[in-house]
Amino acid sequence: MPVLPGAEPYRHEGGEVGVLLCHGFTGSPQSLRPWARYLAGRGLTVSLPLLPGHGTRWEDMAVTGWTDWYAEVDRALRALRARCSRVFVAGLSMGGTLALRLAAKHGAGVEGVIVVNPANKVHGLSAYALPVARHLVRSTRGIVSDIAKAGALETGYERVPLHAAHSLRVLFRQVDGELPQVTQPLLLLRSTQDHVVPAADSARILSRVSSADVTEILLEQSYHVATLDHDADRIFEESYAFIARIAPSVGKEGTAVGG
């Protein structure tokens, strides 16, 4: 299947400091592309992969699961580590969950973690219904484009395949148990109005990680997809400042691939 316009993966060959960006559930690299370009413009090597089953049609996602999504970001991280001397991981929503797992699993191979509205749990009665409902109903309504900024749209699926949603729930449980293994510096940016992921998820993550260097920033003007919203510039600037504080050398600029 052809990739949706704007959903293509992105990479930029910059200096010795690298950043892996992970997009969210049913979303695509489009939601993080401005962030990726901002960091690339400041000389970082940037990798923004397209997760399996994403960026085409929701039916393609129905036959994938969390192990497929994690394997892709793990592969991308290993490629970055082979290229760069210092590597950071970052993500939006489920992408933040994946970034936290990478930090837990790779230890000293990850210098720091940046998460925006990270997800930790499937909430409500639907979570308990998923194991059975996924065999009866193929999909439910989508969760993309929770954005306050007029005219801003997220490229993603209008339907959520329930088999994938069930796998997402398994991922959340897995990573929740691994959070104490996260020891790296952590920057967490959270929208005060988020119609997809509640504040409780960020609170849970902050309470369970073992990081001594933790910064939480509240985004007052954005909804869930804050990287395309009113607070996008602040996310970009704060994340770069975080990286520069931990790894002051960002290297030279290079060439972007993938738009």
Side-chain angles (χ1 to χ4, degrees):
M1 287 294 297
V3 174
L4 296 170
E8 303 87 359
Y10 174 94
R11 69 181 184 273
H12 173 88
E13 295 295 331
E16 287 299 311
V17 178
V19 183
L20 170 63
L21 297 175
C22 308
H23 70 75
F25 182 72
T26 73
S28 76
Q30 179 262 353
S31 62
L32 301 186
R33 195 175 302 274
W35 190 6
R37 286 175 170 161
Y38 178 94
L39 296 174
R42 277 144 189 81
L44 281 78
T45 293
V46 181
S47 176
L48 171 53
L50 173 64
L51 300 181
H54 292 70
T56 54
R57 55 177 192 158
W58 71 262
E59 291 90 346
D60 295 330
M61 189 179 178
V63 294
T64 67
W66 79 264
T67 55
D68 302 304
W69 314 327
Y70 179 75
E72 179 62 22
V73 296
D74 184 77
R75 181 204 61 76
L77 176 61
R78 292 176 190 276
L80 262 186
R81 288 180 58 188
R83 163 71 175 77
C84 300
S85 60
R86 309 185 77 175
V87 175
F88 293 77
V89 293
L92 167 68
S93 193
M94 180 191 75
T97 314
L98 295 172
L100 288 163
R101 183 163 211 262
L102 288 169
K105 291 298 184 183
H106 286 264
V110 170
E111 294 280 343
V113 188
I114 305 162
V115 291
V116 179
N117 294 323
N120 178 255
K121 184 179 180 180
V122 176
H123 295 267
L125 294 175
S126 60
Y128 300 98
L130 273 174
V132 174
R134 66 193 176 108
H135 297 293
L136 305 174
V137 181
R138 292 189 67 197
S139 68
T140 186
R141 63 183 179 86
I143 55 174
V144 297
S145 290
D146 184 38
I147 304 172
K149 186 176 182 180
L153 295 174
E154 179 186 15
T155 299
Y157 296 150
E158 296 182 356
R159 305 294 298 176
V160 174
L162 292 194
H163 277 295
H166 174 70
S167 188
L168 177 68
R169 185 187 182 213
V170 176
L171 169 66
F172 289 158
R173 287 183 170 182
Q174 178 74 27
V175 176
D176 187 69
E178 296 167 346
L179 287 176
Q181 300 173 40
V182 177
T183 60
Q184 298 90 338
L186 172 64
L187 172 62
L188 187 150
L189 303 105
R190 175 175 64 82
S191 298
T192 55
Q193 294 187 72
D194 187 328
H195 306 99
V196 177
V197 174
D201 285 33
S202 287
R204 172 75 175 179
I205 290 166
L206 292 174
S207 73
R208 289 186 58 75
V209 297
S210 299
S211 306
D213 180 347
V214 176
T215 304
E216 181 182 19
I217 294 175
L218 298 184
L219 307 173
E220 304 281 354
Q221 304 178 65
S222 301
Y223 295 162
H224 184 63
V225 191
T227 50
L228 297 177
D229 217 326
H230 295 294
D231 291 296
D233 287 345
R234 187 177 185 195
I235 294 170
F236 306 162
E237 293 161 6
E238 294 283 2
S239 62
Y240 178 73
F242 173 80
I243 293 167
R245 172 169 66 83
I246 298 166
S249 173
V250 296
K252 63 182 181 178
E253 293 189 28
T255 304
V257 178

